[in-house]
Amino acid sequence: GSSKGTQSEEGGCISGAIASATIRILGGTVMGGYSPKHGGNIYLASGSTMVMSGAVGMKNNTATVPGGAIDVTLSKEVYSKLTVTGGVFENNSAPSGGAVYVRTGSEAAFNGSKFQSNHATDENTGNAKDVGGGAIYVHSTGKLTLTGVTMTGNTSGNYGGAVMINGGSLTMDGQKLVQTKPFRFSPGENPILR
């Protein structure tokens, strides 16, 4: 199935703000979502878990806050977890975490996924250090695991053309990072800034 052109305050298409929800997406395309609050298309909160697999496409999603396609967050100190196998994240944008934003304590793991042409606009989010991550931004004690992930053409107007780690952790295995010049040449040229 597919979802196209959806809008909502929290998660343009899907909001996992229900405590400890489990969400599964097996294939399909989620595109053109917009949210002014959390995640252009998916807001994963309150200890929720999301599993995405197959030929999932997350394309052309926009948020005016962190997480162009997905915002993985916490609520009342309960952390959320995102697991993605395969899938393409393409042409998503947000002030930080052009495609995905992983907040304090939450976790995201990607296996065999592709991130291409995502962009962190680096517009003011209220915290000057909370910018960057053309594809993915990891905040504070957030955890990111990348296995066999390909990143191409992601940009940031500030830090981390592909991934920005701001106090969180990153585990990588077999990545192919092919980054072009960032939107702004310094310091965003580093594909990963920790």
Side-chain angles (χ1 to χ4, degrees), residues 96-175:
S96 54
V100 178
Y101 190 92
V102 182
R103 294 183 187 264
T104 302
S106 294
E107 299 178 27
F110 297 90
N111 187 343
S113 303
K114 295 180 180 177
F115 289 84
Q116 49 198 51
S117 303
N118 299 290
H119 181 63
T121 62
D122 297 331
E123 295 167 5
N124 187 357
T125 60
N127 182 348
K129 293 182 180 179
D130 193 19
V131 294
I136 303 171
Y137 185 103
V138 182
H139 187 260
S140 188
T141 57
K143 296 178 184 175
L144 175 63
T145 302
L146 302 175
T147 305
V149 170
T150 301
M151 296 197 178
T152 57
N154 301 289
T155 59
S156 169
N158 217 318
Y159 302 103
V163 178
M164 170 64 174
I165 307 294
N166 186 4
S169 68
L170 170 64
T171 302
M172 288 180 26
D173 178 41
Q175 273 38 255

Coordinates of all heavy atoms in Angstrom, one line a residue, residues 96-175:
S96 N 16.9 19.4 11.3 CA 18.0 18.5 11.7 C 17.4 17.1 11.5 O 16.2 16.8 11.7 CB 18.5 18.7 13.1 OG 17.4 18.7 14.0
G97 N 18.3 16.2 11.1 CA 17.8 14.8 10.8 C 16.9 14.9 9.5 O 15.7 14.7 9.7
G98 N 17.5 15.1 8.4 CA 16.7 15.3 7.2 C 15.8 14.2 6.9 O 14.6 14.4 6.5
A99 N 16.2 12.9 7.2 CA 15.3 11.8 7.1 C 14.8 11.3 8.5 O 13.6 11.0 8.7 CB 15.9 10.6 6.3
V100 N 15.8 11.1 9.4 CA 15.5 10.5 10.7 C 16.1 11.3 11.8 O 17.3 11.6 11.7 CB 15.9 9.0 10.8 CG1 15.6 8.4 12.1 CG2 15.3 8.2 9.6
Y101 N 15.4 11.5 12.9 CA 15.9 12.1 14.1 C 15.7 11.1 15.3 O 14.6 10.7 15.6 CB 15.2 13.4 14.4 CG 15.8 14.3 15.5 CD1 16.7 15.3 15.2 CD2 15.4 14.1 16.8 CE1 17.3 16.1 16.1 CE2 16.0 14.9 17.8 CZ 16.9 15.9 17.5 OH 17.5 16.7 18.4
V102 N 16.9 10.8 16.0 CA 16.8 9.8 17.1 C 17.1 10.7 18.3 O 18.2 11.2 18.6 CB 17.9 8.7 16.9 CG1 17.8 7.7 18.1 CG2 17.7 8.0 15.6
R103 N 16.1 10.7 19.2 CA 16.2 11.6 20.4 C 16.8 10.8 21.6 O 17.0 9.6 21.5 CB 14.8 12.1 20.8 CG 14.3 13.1 19.8 CD 12.9 13.6 20.2 NE 12.3 14.4 19.1 CZ 12.4 15.7 19.0 NH1 13.1 16.4 19.9 NH2 11.9 16.4 18.0
T104 N 17.1 11.5 22.6 CA 17.7 11.1 23.9 C 17.2 9.7 24.3 O 16.0 9.5 24.4 CB 17.4 12.1 25.0 OG1 18.0 13.3 24.6 CG2 18.1 11.6 26.3
G105 N 18.1 8.7 24.4 CA 17.7 7.4 24.9 C 17.0 6.5 24.0 O 17.0 5.3 24.2
S106 N 16.5 7.0 22.9 CA 15.8 6.1 21.9 C 16.8 5.5 21.0 O 18.0 5.8 20.9 CB 14.8 7.0 21.1 OG 13.8 7.4 22.0
E107 N 16.4 4.4 20.2 CA 17.3 3.7 19.4 C 16.7 3.5 18.0 O 15.5 3.4 17.8 CB 17.5 2.3 20.0 CG 18.0 2.2 21.3 CD 18.2 0.8 21.9 OE1 18.3 -0.2 21.1 OE2 18.1 0.6 23.1
A108 N 17.7 3.5 17.0 CA 17.3 3.2 15.6 C 18.4 2.3 15.0 O 19.6 2.5 15.2 CB 17.2 4.5 14.8
A109 N 17.9 1.3 14.3 CA 18.9 0.4 13.6 C 18.4 0.2 12.2 O 17.2 0.0 11.9 CB 18.9 -1.0 14.3
F110 N 19.4 0.3 11.3 CA 19.1 0.2 9.8 C 20.0 -0.9 9.3 O 21.2 -0.9 9.5 CB 19.4 1.5 9.1 CG 18.4 2.6 9.6 CD1 18.8 3.4 10.6 CD2 17.2 2.8 9.0 CE1 18.0 4.4 11.1 CE2 16.4 3.8 9.4 CZ 16.8 4.7 10.5
N111 N 19.4 -1.8 8.5 CA 20.2 -2.9 7.9 C 19.9 -2.9 6.4 O 18.7 -3.2 6.0 CB 19.8 -4.2 8.5 CG 20.7 -5.3 8.1 OD1 21.4 -5.3 7.0 ND2 20.7 -6.4 8.8
G112 N 20.9 -2.6 5.6 CA 20.7 -2.6 4.1 C 19.9 -1.5 3.6 O 19.4 -1.6 2.4
S113 N 19.7 -0.5 4.3 CA 18.9 0.7 3.9 C 19.7 1.6 3.0 O 20.9 1.6 3.1 CB 18.3 1.4 5.1 OG 17.6 0.6 5.9
K114 N 19.0 2.5 2.2 CA 19.6 3.5 1.4 C 19.1 4.8 1.8 O 17.9 5.0 1.9 CB 19.4 3.2 -0.1 CG 20.0 1.9 -0.6 CD 19.7 1.7 -2.1 CE 20.4 0.4 -2.5 NZ 20.1 0.2 -4.0
F115 N 20.0 5.8 2.0 CA 19.7 7.2 2.3 C 20.2 8.0 1.1 O 21.4 8.1 1.0 CB 20.3 7.6 3.6 CG 19.6 7.0 4.8 CD1 20.0 5.7 5.2 CD2 18.6 7.6 5.5 CE1 19.4 5.1 6.3 CE2 18.0 7.1 6.6 CZ 18.4 5.8 7.0
Q116 N 19.4 8.7 0.4 CA 19.9 9.5 -0.7 C 19.1 10.8 -0.9 O 17.9 10.8 -0.7 CB 19.8 8.7 -2.1 CG 18.5 8.0 -2.3 CD 18.6 6.9 -3.4 OE1 19.4 6.0 -3.3 NE2 17.7 6.9 -4.3
S117 N 19.9 11.8 -1.1 CA 19.4 13.2 -1.3 C 18.5 13.7 -0.2 O 17.5 14.4 -0.5 CB 18.7 13.2 -2.7 OG 19.5 12.8 -3.7
N118 N 18.8 13.4 1.0 CA 18.1 14.0 2.1 C 18.8 15.2 2.6 O 20.0 15.4 2.3 CB 18.0 13.0 3.3 CG 17.2 11.7 2.9 OD1 16.0 11.8 2.7 ND2 17.9 10.6 2.7
H119 N 18.1 16.2 3.2 CA 18.7 17.5 3.6 C 18.3 18.0 4.9 O 17.1 18.0 5.2 CB 18.4 18.5 2.5 CG 19.0 19.8 2.7 ND1 20.3 20.0 2.7 CD2 18.4 21.0 3.0 CE1 20.6 21.3 3.0 NE2 19.4 21.9 3.1
A120 N 19.3 18.4 5.7 CA 19.0 19.1 7.0 C 19.2 20.6 6.6 O 20.2 21.1 6.3 CB 20.1 18.7 8.0
T121 N 18.1 21.3 6.8 CA 18.0 22.7 6.4 C 18.7 23.6 7.4 O 19.1 24.7 7.1 CB 16.6 23.2 6.3 OG1 15.9 23.1 7.5 CG2 15.8 22.4 5.2
D122 N 18.9 23.1 8.7 CA 19.6 23.8 9.7 C 18.9 25.1 10.1 O 19.6 26.0 10.6 CB 21.0 24.0 9.4 CG 21.8 22.7 9.3 OD1 21.4 21.8 9.9 OD2 22.8 22.7 8.5
E123 N 17.6 25.2 9.9 CA 16.9 26.4 10.4 C 16.8 26.3 11.9 O 17.0 25.3 12.5 CB 15.5 26.3 9.8 CG 15.5 26.5 8.3 CD 14.1 26.2 7.7 OE1 13.2 25.9 8.4 OE2 14.1 26.2 6.5
N124 N 16.6 27.4 12.5 CA 16.7 27.6 14.0 C 15.7 26.7 14.7 O 14.5 26.8 14.4 CB 16.4 29.0 14.4 CG 16.6 29.2 15.9 OD1 16.9 28.3 16.6 ND2 16.5 30.4 16.3
T125 N 16.2 25.7 15.5 CA 15.3 24.8 16.2 C 15.2 25.2 17.7 O 14.7 24.5 18.5 CB 15.8 23.4 16.1 OG1 17.1 23.3 16.6 CG2 15.7 22.9 14.7
G126 N 15.8 26.3 18.0 CA 15.8 26.8 19.4 C 17.1 26.4 20.1 O 17.4 26.8 21.2
N127 N 17.9 25.5 19.5 CA 19.2 25.1 20.1 C 20.2 25.1 19.0 O 20.2 24.3 18.1 CB 19.0 23.7 20.7 CG 20.3 23.3 21.4 OD1 21.4 23.9 21.2 ND2 20.2 22.2 22.2
A128 N 21.2 26.0 19.1 CA 22.2 26.1 18.0 C 23.0 24.8 17.8 O 23.5 24.6 16.7 CB 23.2 27.2 18.4
K129 N 23.1 23.9 18.8 CA 23.8 22.7 18.6 C 22.9 21.6 18.0 O 23.4 20.5 17.7 CB 24.4 22.2 19.9 CG 25.5 23.1 20.5 CD 26.0 22.6 21.8 CE 27.1 23.5 22.3 NZ 27.7 23.0 23.5
D130 N 21.7 21.8 17.9 CA 20.7 20.9 17.5 C 20.4 21.0 16.0 O 19.3 21.1 15.6 CB 19.4 21.0 18.3 CG 18.5 19.8 18.1 OD1 18.9 18.8 17.7 OD2 17.3 20.0 18.4
V131 N 21.5 21.0 15.2 CA 21.4 21.2 13.7 C 22.3 20.2 13.1 O 23.2 19.7 13.6 CB 21.7 22.6 13.3 CG1 20.7 23.6 13.8 CG2 23.1 23.0 13.6
G132 N 22.0 19.9 11.8 CA 22.8 19.0 11.0 C 22.2 17.6 10.8 O 21.1 17.4 11.1
G133 N 23.0 16.7 10.2 CA 22.6 15.4 9.9 C 21.7 15.4 8.7 O 20.5 15.3 8.8
G134 N 22.3 15.4 7.5 CA 21.6 15.4 6.3 C 20.6 14.3 6.2 O 19.5 14.4 5.8
A135 N 21.1 13.1 6.6 CA 20.2 11.9 6.6 C 19.7 11.6 8.0 O 18.5 11.4 8.2 CB 21.0 10.7 6.1
I136 N 20.6 11.5 9.0 CA 20.2 11.1 10.4 C 20.9 12.0 11.4 O 22.1 12.3 11.3 CB 20.6 9.6 10.6 CG1 20.0 8.7 9.6 CG2 20.2 9.2 12.0 CD1 20.5 7.3 9.6
Y137 N 20.2 12.3 12.4 CA 20.7 13.1 13.6 C 20.5 12.2 14.8 O 19.4 11.7 15.0 CB 20.0 14.4 13.7 CG 20.6 15.3 14.8 CD1 21.4 16.4 14.5 CD2 20.3 15.1 16.1 CE1 21.9 17.2 15.5 CE2 20.8 15.9 17.1 CZ 21.6 17.0 16.8 OH 22.1 17.8 17.8
V138 N 21.5 12.1 15.6 CA 21.4 11.3 16.9 C 21.7 12.3 18.0 O 22.8 12.8 18.1 CB 22.3 10.1 16.9 CG1 22.1 9.3 18.2 CG2 22.1 9.2 15.7
H139 N 20.7 12.4 18.9 CA 20.8 13.4 20.0 C 21.2 12.7 21.3 O 20.6 11.7 21.7 CB 19.5 14.2 20.1 CG 19.5 15.3 21.1 ND1 19.1 15.2 22.4 CD2 20.0 16.5 21.0 CE1 19.3 16.3 23.0 NE2 19.8 17.2 22.2
S140 N 22.0 13.4 22.1 CA 22.3 13.0 23.5 C 22.6 11.5 23.7 O 23.6 11.1 23.1 CB 21.2 13.5 24.4 OG 21.6 13.3 25.8
T141 N 21.8 10.8 24.4 CA 22.1 9.4 24.6 C 21.4 8.4 23.6 O 21.3 7.2 23.9 CB 21.7 9.0 26.0 OG1 20.3 9.3 26.2 CG2 22.6 9.7 27.1
G142 N 21.0 9.0 22.5 CA 20.3 8.2 21.5 C 21.3 7.2 20.9 O 22.6 7.4 20.9
K143 N 20.8 6.1 20.3 CA 21.7 5.0 19.8 C 21.4 4.7 18.3 O 20.2 4.6 18.0 CB 21.6 3.7 20.6 CG 22.0 3.9 22.0 CD 21.8 2.6 22.8 CE 22.2 2.8 24.3 NZ 21.9 1.6 25.0
L144 N 22.4 4.7 17.5 CA 22.2 4.4 16.1 C 23.1 3.2 15.6 O 24.3 3.2 15.9 CB 22.5 5.6 15.2 CG 22.5 5.5 13.7 CD1 21.1 5.1 13.2 CD2 23.0 6.8 13.0
T145 N 22.5 2.3 14.9 CA 23.3 1.1 14.4 C 23.0 1.1 12.9 O 21.9 1.1 12.4 CB 22.8 -0.2 15.0 OG1 23.0 -0.1 16.5 CG2 23.6 -1.4 14.5
L146 N 24.1 1.1 12.1 CA 24.1 1.0 10.7 C 24.8 -0.2 10.2 O 26.0 -0.4 10.5 CB 24.7 2.3 10.0 CG 24.1 3.6 10.4 CD1 25.0 4.7 9.8 CD2 22.7 3.7 10.0
T147 N 24.1 -1.1 9.5 CA 24.7 -2.3 8.9 C 24.4 -2.4 7.4 O 23.3 -2.4 7.0 CB 24.2 -3.6 9.6 OG1 24.3 -3.4 11.0 CG2 24.9 -4.8 9.1
G148 N 25.5 -2.3 6.6 CA 25.3 -2.4 5.2 C 24.5 -1.3 4.6 O 23.7 -1.5 3.6
V149 N 24.6 -0.1 5.2 CA 23.8 1.0 4.7 C 24.6 1.8 3.7 O 25.8 2.0 3.8 CB 23.4 1.9 5.9 CG1 22.8 3.2 5.5 CG2 22.5 1.2 6.9
T150 N 23.9 2.3 2.7 CA 24.5 3.2 1.6 C 23.9 4.6 1.8 O 22.7 4.8 1.9 CB 24.1 2.6 0.2 OG1 24.6 1.3 0.1 CG2 24.8 3.5 -0.9
M151 N 24.8 5.6 1.8 CA 24.4 7.0 1.9 C 25.0 7.7 0.7 O 26.2 7.8 0.6 CB 24.8 7.6 3.2 CG 24.1 6.9 4.4 SD 24.2 7.9 5.8 CE 23.3 7.0 7.0
T152 N 24.2 8.4 -0.1 CA 24.7 9.2 -1.2 C 23.9 10.5 -1.3 O 22.7 10.5 -1.2 CB 24.6 8.4 -2.5 OG1 23.2 8.1 -2.7 CG2 25.4 7.2 -2.6
G153 N 24.7 11.6 -1.5 CA 24.1 12.9 -1.9 C 23.3 13.5 -0.8 O 22.5 14.4 -1.0
N154 N 23.5 13.1 0.5 CA 22.8 13.8 1.6 C 23.6 15.1 2.0 O 24.8 15.1 1.9 CB 22.7 12.9 2.8 CG 22.0 11.6 2.5 OD1 20.8 11.6 2.3 ND2 22.7 10.5 2.3
T155 N 22.9 16.1 2.4 CA 23.5 17.4 2.6 C 23.0 18.0 3.9 O 21.9 17.7 4.4 CB 23.3 18.4 1.5 OG1 21.9 18.6 1.3 CG2 23.9 17.9 0.2
S156 N 23.9 18.9 4.4 CA 23.5 19.7 5.6 C 24.0 21.1 5.5 O 25.2 21.2 5.0 CB 24.1 19.0 6.9 OG 24.0 19.9 8.0
G157 N 23.3 22.0 5.9 CA 23.8 23.4 5.9 C 24.7 23.7 7.0 O 25.3 24.8 7.1
N158 N 25.0 22.7 7.8 CA 25.9 22.8 9.0 C 26.7 21.6 9.2 O 27.6 21.3 8.4 CB 25.1 23.2 10.2 CG 25.8 24.2 11.1 OD1 27.0 24.1 11.3 ND2 25.0 25.1 11.6
Y159 N 26.4 20.8 10.2 CA 27.3 19.6 10.5 C 26.7 18.3 10.0 O 25.5 18.1 10.0 CB 27.4 19.5 12.1 CG 27.9 20.8 12.7 CD1 27.1 21.7 13.4 CD2 29.3 21.0 12.7 CE1 27.6 22.8 14.0 CE2 29.8 22.2 13.3 CZ 28.9 23.0 13.9 OH 29.4 24.2 14.5
G160 N 27.7 17.4 9.6 CA 27.3 16.0 9.3 C 26.4 15.9 8.0 O 25.2 15.9 8.1
G161 N 27.1 16.0 6.9 CA 26.3 15.8 5.6 C 25.5 14.6 5.6 O 24.3 14.6 5.1
A162 N 26.0 13.5 6.1 CA 25.2 12.2 6.2 C 24.6 12.0 7.6 O 23.4 11.9 7.7 CB 26.1 11.0 5.8
V163 N 25.5 12.0 8.6 CA 25.0 11.6 10.0 C 25.7 12.6 10.9 O 26.8 12.9 10.9 CB 25.5 10.2 10.3 CG1 25.1 9.9 11.8 CG2 24.9 9.2 9.4
M164 N 24.9 13.1 11.9 CA 25.3 14.0 13.0 C 25.1 13.2 14.3 O 24.0 12.9 14.6 CB 24.6 15.3 12.9 CG 24.8 16.2 14.1 SD 26.5 16.7 14.3 CE 26.4 17.8 15.7
I165 N 26.2 13.0 15.0 CA 26.1 12.4 16.3 C 26.4 13.4 17.3 O 27.5 13.9 17.4 CB 27.1 11.2 16.5 CG1 26.9 10.2 15.3 CG2 26.9 10.5 17.8 CD1 25.6 9.4 15.3
N166 N 25.4 13.8 18.1 CA 25.6 14.9 19.1 C 25.5 14.3 20.5 O 24.5 14.4 21.2 CB 24.6 16.0 18.9 CG 24.8 17.2 19.8 OD1 25.8 17.2 20.6 ND2 24.0 18.1 19.8
G167 N 26.5 13.5 21.0 CA 26.5 12.9 22.3 C 26.0 11.5 22.3 O 26.1 10.8 23.3
G168 N 25.3 11.1 21.3 CA 24.8 9.7 21.2 C 25.9 8.7 20.7 O 27.0 9.1 20.7
S169 N 25.4 7.5 20.4 CA 26.4 6.5 20.0 C 26.1 6.0 18.6 O 24.9 6.0 18.2 CB 26.4 5.3 20.9 OG 25.2 4.6 20.9
L170 N 27.1 5.6 17.8 CA 27.0 5.1 16.5 C 27.8 3.8 16.4 O 29.0 3.8 16.7 CB 27.5 6.1 15.5 CG 27.7 5.7 14.0 CD1 26.3 5.3 13.4 CD2 28.4 6.8 13.2
T171 N 27.1 2.8 15.9 CA 27.8 1.5 15.6 C 27.6 1.3 14.1 O 26.5 1.3 13.6 CB 27.2 0.3 16.4 OG1 27.2 0.6 17.7 CG2 27.9 -1.0 16.1
M172 N 28.8 1.1 13.4 CA 28.7 0.9 11.9 C 29.4 -0.3 11.5 O 30.4 -0.7 12.0 CB 29.4 2.1 11.2 CG 28.7 3.4 11.3 SD 29.4 4.8 10.5 CE 30.5 4.2 9.2
D173 N 28.9 -1.0 10.4 CA 29.5 -2.1 9.8 C 29.2 -2.2 8.4 O 28.0 -2.2 8.0 CB 29.0 -3.4 10.5 CG 29.6 -4.7 9.9 OD1 30.8 -4.7 9.6 OD2 28.8 -5.6 9.7
G174 N 30.2 -2.1 7.5 CA 30.1 -2.2 6.1 C 29.3 -1.1 5.4 O 28.5 -1.3 4.5
Q175 N 29.5 0.1 5.8 CA 28.8 1.2 5.2 C 29.5 1.7 4.0 O 30.7 1.6 3.9 CB 28.8 2.4 6.2 CG 27.6 2.4 7.2 CD 27.3 1.1 7.7 OE1 26.3 0.6 7.2 NE2 28.0 0.5 8.6

